[in-house]
Amino acid sequence: MKLLVRPRPFVNESLESYMLRLSQENFFEYYQQLSRAIKDWLQLHDHEAAGAFPEELSRLNVYHAAQSSSRRVRALKLVESLTDNEKLPLLHLAVMHSSEKFCSRYASVFYAGSHVPRALVRQKGIPVCPDCLTEANYIRQEWHWLPYEACINHGKQMLHECPKCEEKLNYTHSECLHTCRCGFDLRNADTEPADEWQLIASRLVVGEHSPSRHPLLDIRSVSLRLACLLWYQLYIHKTLDASDQVPTRTIEQAIEYFTHWPEVFAEELEEQAALSGDKLICDYNKTSFHDIFGNIVGISRLLLKPYPESDFVLAPLENFLTRLVDQNPQTRVPNVADLLISMPEAAILLGTSYEQAYRLYEEGYLKCAVRLKSHEKLVNGIGVFYLREIMELRQSRMPVETGAYNNYLPAW
C-alpha cells in the first residue's frame, strides 16, 4: 500500500486534521476507508500495531490509547512510511501521554514542548474560526484546548455551533473541516467580537503576551499558565466538573481573579486564619491543617518539573504561612501555628521529595506530633508535624536554583 499524495502539514495543525486531509487528497470518500485500508496493511506487517490503530478519527491521537500508547506510536511510525518520498509527519503532530502531574495528581498530555492538563482538553466539541478556515482549510491544534475561546488573529469569538442547524461542531465526528453535517459552509459564518478575558485566555494557550499586562501572561511556560487555571478550579470548587473538566465559566472567573494576584489570595488566606477558631473541634495542636485550609498545599505545587516560575502559587502561600508562624509564637496555649501538617504537605512546603521529607523525620529533624504505636508507620493524609516546625526548617534552607527539590540531607 502506498499513498500517492503527501500534503504539506501546517505548523500548528492537529493530527486528526492532517489525517483527514490526507484521506481527502488521496481520493478516499471517507476517513474510515483510509483507516481500514491502513489497518489491513498493518495486519500484514505488525499485527500488534494493527490492534492499536483505531478506525475512528476521534480516537486516533496517541493520548487516547489507554494501555497501548507505545504500540499506537509504533503503528503511526509504520504509517509514516506509506509514501515514496519524505515521511509523513504524524508523530510530530501527535498529542502524547505525559508523565507530568498537575497540582500533585492531575493527569496531562504533551504537545509542542508543553504539558497540558487533561482537564483542559476539549472532549465534546471542537470550535472553529471561520476567518482562519477561509485563510487555510485546516484545524489548529490550539482549538482543542478549552481556554482557547477567541481567535487571537482576528479578535473574534470561536464558533461552537452551526448557525444553520445549531449542532455542536466536532470535525473528528463529522469528518468535515469547513462544513457542518447539514452542509452549511462554516467559512460563511459570522462571529461576535471577542471579550477581553477570552483574548487573554487564548493568549495563555499560544504563549503570546498581552498589552493588558495580565499576571498570567508574564509566565513564560504555557504549562504553568494552564496549571494556574486548573489550580483555580480546584481552589474554588475543590474538584473538577461532572465531565472531569474545567468549565468555561471558571476560566473566565480565573482570568478576573488573577488580575488582582497575589493580593486577593493573601487576603483570603488571612480571612481563613482569622476564622479558624470557629472550625475547631479540638485544640490547634490536635487539628489538621487540612481541616482549616483544605487541600491548599497539595494543589499549590503546580508542576513537579523545575521552571523559573514554578512557585507562582506556592510562594505566596509560603509567605503567608511564614507570617502566620511569626505572628503566632509558641506559647503554653496552642495557636494557629500549631496546626498539624501531613507528610505529603510537609514535602511540598519544604520544597523537597517525599523520600527526603521521610528521612528528615527518621533522623529527628522533624518531630512527630502524635504518638505512634510500636511499628506503626505514618499515614499520608494524617497531620503529624507542627506547621511552625515545618516553616522554621524551610527558612533554614534556601531554594536550590538548579534542581526541582531542596536537599536537606546528603544522599545515601
Side-chain angles (χ1 to χ4, degrees):
M1 176 183 175
K2 288 292 181 182
L3 296 172
L4 300 179
V5 181
R6 178 195 179 275
R8 183 179 295 277
F10 294 92
V11 174
N12 61 340
E13 184 171 14
S14 70
L15 174 62
E16 296 89 345
S17 170
Y18 182 77
M19 288 297 288
L20 194 52
R21 290 200 300 118
L22 186 69
S23 66
Q24 292 171 352
E25 296 195 23
N26 281 277
F27 309 105
F28 288 94
E29 188 174 357
Y30 303 104
Y31 169 76
Q32 282 201 351
Q33 291 179 339
L34 171 63
S35 65
R36 286 169 183 165
I38 290 175
K39 202 171 183 71
D40 291 341
W41 179 82
L42 288 172
Q43 286 284 4
L44 298 175
H45 293 79
D46 189 331
H47 69 277
E48 288 184 345
F53 187 83
E55 294 182 9
E56 301 83 5
L57 183 63
S58 60
R59 301 297 302 170
L60 173 66
N61 228 312
V62 175
Y63 77 95
H64 287 301
Q67 298 177 340
S68 56
S69 56
S70 60
R71 292 178 182 176
R72 182 75 58 90
V73 169
R74 190 199 310 173
L76 290 177
K77 289 178 71 174
L78 289 170
V79 175
E80 284 182 335
S81 63
L82 290 179
T83 55
D84 287 326
N85 46 18
E86 189 179 352
K87 284 187 175 182
L88 299 171
L90 304 187
L91 289 179
H92 175 71
L93 301 176
V95 179
M96 302 289 190
H97 283 293
S98 169
S99 59
E100 186 63 76
K101 296 294 182 184
F102 282 84
C103 300
S104 295
R105 70 183 187 89
Y106 290 87
S108 64
V109 297
F110 184 80
Y111 174 78
S114 297
H115 301 275
V116 178
R118 286 291 291 263
L120 290 175
V121 179
R122 287 193 165 100
Q123 297 176 358
K124 297 180 180 178
I126 312 296
V128 301
C129 172
D131 293 337
C132 285
L133 289 178
T134 301
E135 294 173 358
N137 191 29
Y138 73 97
I139 303 298
R140 284 69 169 165
Q141 180 60 51
E142 55 264 28
W143 296 353
H144 286 253
W145 311 141
L146 275 166
Y148 202 87
E149 279 292 316
C151 176
I152 60 175
N153 296 319
H154 301 101
K156 294 183 178 180
Q157 296 180 13
M158 299 295 289
L159 183 67
H160 289 263
E161 297 176 349
C162 172
K164 183 178 180 181
C165 68
E166 298 184 351
E167 180 182 359
K168 199 171 186 68
L169 299 178
N170 191 338
Y171 76 99
T172 64
H173 292 159
S174 66
E175 297 189 4
C176 301
L177 293 173
H178 66 272
T179 57
C180 176
R181 291 180 192 267
C182 67
F184 180 80
D185 193 328
L186 300 173
R187 294 173 294 188
N188 297 327
D190 242 351
T191 52
E192 297 292 328
D195 296 331
E196 181 63 20
W197 77 265
Q198 293 174 320
L199 291 170
I200 293 174
S202 296
R203 289 190 175 101
L204 294 180
V205 170
V206 297
E208 291 194 7
H209 293 269
S210 168
S212 67
R213 299 182 62 82
H214 193 277
L216 290 184
L217 290 171
D218 289 335
I219 302 175
R220 293 186 180 182
S221 166
V222 172
S223 301
L224 282 169
R225 292 177 175 186
L226 300 181
C228 291
L229 300 181
L230 173 62
W231 175 88
Y232 181 80
Q233 168 72 20
L234 301 174
Y235 174 57
I236 299 298
H237 302 287
K238 313 306 178 189
T239 186
L240 302 175
D241 68 5
S243 302
D244 288 332
Q245 291 193 303
V246 177
T248 302
R249 176 63 179 161
T250 299
I251 296 174
E252 179 182 359
Q253 294 169 348
I255 298 300
E256 171 62 25
Y257 181 84
F258 282 106
T259 301
H260 310 287
W261 184 265
E263 292 78 14
V264 62
F265 185 45
E267 291 173 4
E268 290 171 351
L269 291 174
E270 296 284 358
E271 183 178 350
Q272 290 183 62
L275 298 175
S276 61
D278 299 338
K279 300 181 180 180
L280 289 181
I281 298 176
C282 306
D283 289 335
Y284 278 109
N285 62 347
K286 296 181 181 178
T287 300
S288 170
F289 181 87
H290 189 281
D291 293 339
I292 304 299
F293 292 94
N295 190 32
I296 186 63
V297 174
I299 65 174
S300 294
R301 174 177 277 178
L302 300 180
L303 285 170
L304 293 180
K305 292 190 178 222
Y307 288 93
E309 312 99 332
S310 290
D311 292 337
F312 183 79
V313 172
L314 195 55
L317 175 61
E318 290 176 343
N319 291 339
F320 161 75
L321 294 177
T322 300
R323 290 196 307 273
L324 189 68
V325 170
D326 292 342
Q327 293 167 3
N328 294 273
Q330 189 170 17
T331 63
R332 290 185 178 182
V333 179
N335 57 49
V336 68
D338 295 306
L339 289 170
L340 299 179
I341 297 290
S342 68
M343 179 64 80
E345 289 173 333
I348 293 173
L349 291 176
L350 292 172
T352 190
S353 65
Y354 184 93
E355 293 75 13
Q356 182 84 184
Y358 197 85
R359 283 191 63 199
L360 289 171
Y361 157 69
E362 286 185 322
E363 301 199 17
Y365 290 89
L366 290 176
K367 183 176 68 176
C368 188
V370 298
R371 182 173 296 177
L372 300 177
K373 297 178 182 178
S374 180
H375 304 296
E376 184 180 3
K377 293 187 177 181
L378 298 181
V379 180
N380 278 350
I382 305 300
V384 291
F385 305 120
Y386 292 118
L387 171 63
R388 71 171 69 255
E389 293 187 0
I390 295 295
M391 300 313 298
E392 288 167 355
L393 182 58
R394 171 69 192 218
Q395 286 180 287
S396 72
R397 295 290 190 275
M398 298 304 292
V400 179
E401 294 181 359
T402 56
Y405 299 121
N406 293 329
N407 286 318
Y408 291 82
L409 296 171
W412 282 301

